[in-house]
Amino acid sequence: MSDPTAAAPAVLAFDGGSTKTDVVLVARDGAVLGRAHVGPSNHQLVGLETAIETLAEGANAAAADAGLPEPGPGRPLCELGVYCLAGVDLDVDEAALTPALSATGWTGRVVVRNDTFAVSRAGTTAPWGIGVVCGTGMNCAATGPDGRTVRFPALAELSGDFAPGGAWLGVRALGLALRAGDGRGAATTLRARVPAHLGQPDAEAVLAGVYTGAIGYNRLFELARVLLDAAADGDPEARQAADLLADEVAAFVRAAVVRLGVQREPVEVVLGGGIFDTSDAGFHDRVAAGIHAAAPRAVLVRLEAPPVLGAGLIGLDLLGATPDALGLLRTSLRAAAEPG
């Protein structure tokens, strides 16, 4: 006899970031009942109150998409809420968010984790593994086969991150171009590539534009891809910078491997974020070599699914869902993510 509760809402899952938040409402059998896409929910950037308001908007929209009333105190939408959120870097972040989310009454239970855990679970075939995000910033989170977790503060230089992601790499590209012009550094094709990308006559004009605000500082982040292209083409200065970032990716993973004691296991390492889209084979090879130095049997996986899938899978894992339910959720969200 089939379980009549299997198709009822069971997990309200969030993947919340600095630019957007994805939400799914999932049944215990893995069916996607409702979805929503709302704005940023990183409390470090928008503040706790605004973050909760954004998450409320997402919860209400997902409920509406499922044809259900808005959740709230005394009328929970489902059993479990899984919040994988950017900005949950330290215990103090969990201490601030968990009671605030519990007070909403949207779900019977609340689980708060860093968003990198969603990346990891979205790409692994098992409930455990390691995830690395390298986009504008960088972070790593891991779960061991015994359920222990590892995470890092990922607060850039403040937490000892020597090459913290694409933003660092883009700024480094401008710095190398400038140093090549003023005599502090070696010659590099970045001297021409950087201004060309931003439509400026030279690197000094780029600097002046950023300094005066004529060029948005965030435009420098685009230069990460410019630098990686230069590295792929054999530019020694660009290669050295790309290698530093690759080594930082590998350092995160090696630390997680050792802390979880999975050096001899076929641990899946999920690579998420735009930096991993580069065609620079040298970058990919150096990342792989650095990881395999600590875990020779590690399996590297490029994330192709939306990270909110990982938040939903974490919820189903905690509820003891069947492999069929996990498979259905994977199939549904992967299909929805593919261009139509």
Side-chain angles (χ1 to χ4, degrees):
M1 181 180 296
S2 61
D3 181 358
T5 67
V11 179
L12 182 63
F14 295 78
D15 170 54
S18 300
T19 59
K20 63 180 178 65
T21 301
D22 289 323
V23 191
V24 292
L25 179 62
V26 182
R28 188 180 288 269
D29 65 4
V32 176
L33 305 177
R35 299 191 67 177
H37 181 87
V38 293
S41 56
N42 183 337
H43 75 286
Q44 294 181 1
L45 299 181
V46 303
L48 181 61
E49 182 177 350
T50 299
I52 297 298
E53 290 173 355
T54 299
L55 295 171
E57 180 186 355
N60 294 339
D65 191 45
L68 299 170
E70 292 185 0
R75 53 180 193 281
L77 186 58
C78 59
E79 180 178 350
L80 178 63
V82 177
Y83 300 83
C84 293
L85 307 175
V88 181
D89 297 319
L90 301 173
D91 291 343
V92 294
D93 297 308
E94 288 187 23
L97 282 161
T98 300
L101 291 168
S102 297
T104 65
W106 302 333
T107 61
R109 183 158 57 112
V110 165
V111 173
V112 177
R113 294 187 179 179
N114 183 271
D115 60 330
T116 312
F117 281 103
V119 169
S120 176
R121 187 64 184 97
T124 59
T125 58
W128 68 281
I130 299 172
V132 183
V133 175
C134 191
T136 300
M138 183 158 59
N139 201 353
C140 176
T143 302
D146 58 0
R148 289 186 299 130
T149 61
V150 165
R151 71 180 184 193
F152 299 85
L155 299 174
E157 291 87 350
L158 183 63
S159 56
D161 307 338
F162 295 153
W168 171 85
L169 198 62
V171 174
R172 186 68 167 240
L174 174 58
L176 291 171
L178 290 166
R179 291 171 71 91
D182 65 20
R184 289 178 294 162
T188 171
T189 61
L190 293 170
R191 180 77 185 154
R193 291 177 187 248
V194 163
H197 179 81
L198 295 172
Q200 298 297 313
D202 51 41
E204 288 73 20
V206 174
L207 175 63
V210 174
Y211 180 73
T212 61
I215 299 175
Y217 190 85
N218 61 348
R219 292 293 310 279
L220 295 181
F221 305 164
E222 301 170 19
L223 299 178
R225 184 59 56 83
V226 174
L227 186 146
L228 288 167
D229 287 345
D233 290 339
D235 186 295
E237 294 295 294
R239 176 80 277 146
Q240 184 179 46
D243 286 350
L244 284 173
L245 183 59
D247 290 346
E248 190 76 347
V249 172
F252 270 119
V253 176
R254 288 199 305 270
V257 163
V258 172
R259 288 167 64 181
L260 291 175
V262 294
Q263 296 95 321
R264 299 180 180 180
E265 301 294 331
V267 56
E268 293 173 299
V269 179
V270 182
L271 308 175
I275 291 297
F276 292 115
D277 290 335
T278 180
S279 59
D280 176 21
F283 178 81
H284 293 293
D285 290 346
R286 193 172 180 99
V287 168
I291 292 172
H292 287 138
R297 299 177 65 199
V299 178
L300 274 58
V301 179
R302 180 70 177 99
L303 183 63
E304 297 179 351
V308 73
L309 166 63
L313 290 172
I314 289 170
L316 291 181
D317 290 338
L318 292 171
L319 295 179
T322 66
D324 285 346
L326 301 176
L328 176 59
L329 181 58
R330 282 190 180 280
T331 300
S332 299
L333 290 185
R334 282 182 181 273
E338 294 175 355

